[in-house]
Amino acid sequence: MEQYNAGLDSTPGVEFYAGILCAGFVNAHSHIELSYLRGAIAGGGGYAAFAAGIAKVRDTFSEEERLRAIEEADRAMWQEGVDAVGDIVNSATSFATKATSPIHYKNFAEVFGLRVCNLEQQRELLKYPNTSLTPHSIYSVQDAPFKEVCNIDMNAPLSIHFMESPDEALLYAGEGSLHEWYKAVGFECNFLHYGSPAERIVACVPKDRNLMLVHNCFVTERDIEVVMDHFSAPVSWALCPRSNAYISGIEPRSVELLRAHNNINICIGTDSLSSNWSLSMIEELKMFRGIPLAELLQWATINGAKALGIDNHYGTIEVGKRSGIVNITGVDLENFTLTASAQAKRVL
Ligand SMILES: [Zn+2]
């Protein structure tokens, strides 16, 4: 790097940073309230084993431990250069940290429950800033509450977990592990007549509503077409590759399908510390080998800002915006790719 420095760091008022500078990151999908579960749940067993793991350890942590973990995660994200987060909330635990955090949080109060739906309980969370309701997924909410939530607060985006596992589509065909599980515990689904996860989305979400679909590991070309043909409002496709690797040891197979559509907004989320080793955007980007870094940085900045509807303030370094500036080191400048040791740090 010496040749690029050219004595600049000895010039008064000029700071020299090796590597590259980019706009502050937007983490499009996280659940910061689950930060206390870091390392508590073994990965690799697939989604059903993971959900069972959470249920087993959830009540073994004190309120203080939960709050401390949220604060640490918030601080780590800020230091790494995260300006804004699309954060799923199930409770009010994270709002004290968020009230004083320099990070902008767009909160999605998650509605779920096939037998008892928590919609009324989640409405209580709407008193907190930047908070709106969203259905958890296309397999965990019955028909009426799903439609109701999709029609409340039309100005806010929705953030729906989508096609994280092939079992989500198989459920609609009466097959797979979700189907078996629901049958074993006696859950009846009154939404399977839509025929597929994508068909349910387009039948129930108003076409002028901003929507973010999260995970998308198993979306097909047909799913993408069904969704993109329906919406007049922007649809964003969030990828969380390290969470997928942690839970199921899989990669989002849809990356190239999504990239082949040039009107598709791909963004990046870390998911939670229950299913990730850290909430690091740069570590997520390292998972996409062979994709140009300039494109990846768009996913991690402006595309996330668009997904959360905050691109007027974040996502690019421009006069009038509030974006931070991030220094990424460990960049192979010749090929413009991230090396394994690449790191990101907030400069501003
Ligand atoms: Zn999630």
Side-chain angles (χ1 to χ4, degrees):
M1 290 306 300
E2 279 305 304
Q3 71 271 30
Y4 299 108
N5 186 339
L8 278 177
D9 53 350
S10 58
T11 309
V14 174
E15 287 176 52
F16 176 76
Y17 293 96
I20 59 172
L21 296 174
C22 76
F25 296 130
V26 178
N27 182 349
H29 181 75
S30 190
H31 308 235
I32 202 170
E33 69 185 18
L34 298 179
S35 296
Y36 67 96
L37 290 171
R38 181 180 192 170
I41 301 153
Y47 190 76
F50 178 79
I54 287 198
K56 210 189 269 175
V57 297
R58 195 171 13 208
D59 297 327
T60 62
F61 292 83
S62 69
E63 186 71 5
E64 201 192 331
E65 285 171 312
R66 291 166 195 246
L67 291 172
R68 201 183 319 127
I70 291 168
E71 276 172 25
E72 278 171 21
D74 174 75
R75 208 175 311 128
M77 279 199 282
W78 175 253
Q79 284 167 356
E80 203 212 27
V82 172
D83 281 346
V85 179
D87 199 47
I88 303 288
V89 291
N90 283 287
S91 72
T93 339
S94 61
F95 288 108
T97 300
K98 288 168 178 172
T100 57
S101 171
I103 293 178
H104 175 89
Y105 284 92
K106 168 71 198 91
N107 303 299
F108 297 100
E110 188 173 68
V111 172
F112 66 88
L114 288 174
R115 199 168 277 153
V116 183
C117 180
N118 65 351
L119 175 54
E120 289 319 309
Q121 183 193 319
Q122 295 306 76
R123 278 186 202 272
E124 294 289 308
L125 299 175
L126 297 179
K127 64 185 178 212
Y128 294 100
N130 300 326
T131 304
S132 55
L133 295 168
T134 200
H136 164 260
S137 71
I138 45 73
Y139 60 85
S140 58
V141 190
Q142 299 287 16
D143 198 29
F146 190 96
K147 283 188 187 147
E148 187 178 345
V149 169
C150 293
N151 282 282
I152 298 171
D153 196 357
M154 287 291 292
N155 292 325
L158 295 171
S159 173
I160 304 179
H161 293 88
F162 189 72
M163 297 305 290
E164 181 175 2
S165 114
D167 293 316
E168 293 176 37
L170 287 172
L171 175 69
Y172 287 74
E175 296 166 28
S177 74
L178 265 178
H179 166 77
E180 293 302 329
W181 172 33
Y182 288 180
K183 201 168 74 175
V185 296
F187 286 162
E188 302 253 354
C189 300
N190 66 4
F191 48 79
L192 301 180
H193 59 281
Y194 291 114
S196 79
E199 303 283 356
R200 185 179 188 193
I201 290 283
V202 301
C204 300
V205 182
K207 65 179 180 186
D208 54 349
R209 179 128 201 202
N210 275 28
L211 169 69
M212 174 166 44
L213 296 171
V214 180
H215 286 299
N216 305 304
C217 302
F218 293 92
V219 292
T220 62
E221 180 60 29
R222 163 112 184 107
D223 294 331
I224 296 170
E225 278 166 17
V226 165
V227 170
M228 296 308 285
D229 285 349
H230 170 74
F231 284 92
S232 56
V235 182
S236 297
W237 303 74
L239 303 176
C240 310
R242 291 218 303 163
S243 172
N244 306 140
Y246 189 105
I247 294 177
S248 313
I250 55 159
E251 290 176 26
R253 296 181 195 173
S254 55
V255 180
E256 292 309 322
L257 284 182
L258 293 167
R259 284 182 79 215
H261 293 253
N262 46 23
N263 59 341
I264 276 189
N265 193 58
I266 302 176
C267 52
I268 301 293
T270 59
D271 222 346
S272 79
L273 281 173
S274 68
S275 64
N276 206 334
W277 300 269
S278 65
L279 304 184
S280 164
M281 292 292 283
I282 205 78
E283 294 302 327
E284 297 294 330
L285 297 187
K286 286 179 194 175
M287 301 291 281
F288 298 99
R289 286 177 208 96
I291 296 177
L293 181 55
E295 186 178 344
L296 292 179
L297 291 178
Q298 283 199 335
W299 297 0
T301 57
I302 185 65
N303 289 11
K306 284 180 187 164
L308 299 179
I310 52 169
D311 49 312
N312 52 342
H313 293 307
Y314 296 99
T316 50
I317 302 169
E318 273 179 71
V319 176
K321 283 199 179 184
R322 292 178 209 154
S323 169
I325 297 179
V326 182
N327 177 215
I328 304 176
T329 53
V331 177
D332 173 349
L333 291 171
E334 224 116 277
N335 301 304
F336 210 55
T337 52
L338 297 174
T339 66
S341 62
Q343 286 187 331
K345 205 173 154 202
R346 177 176 296 279
V347 174
L348 199 72

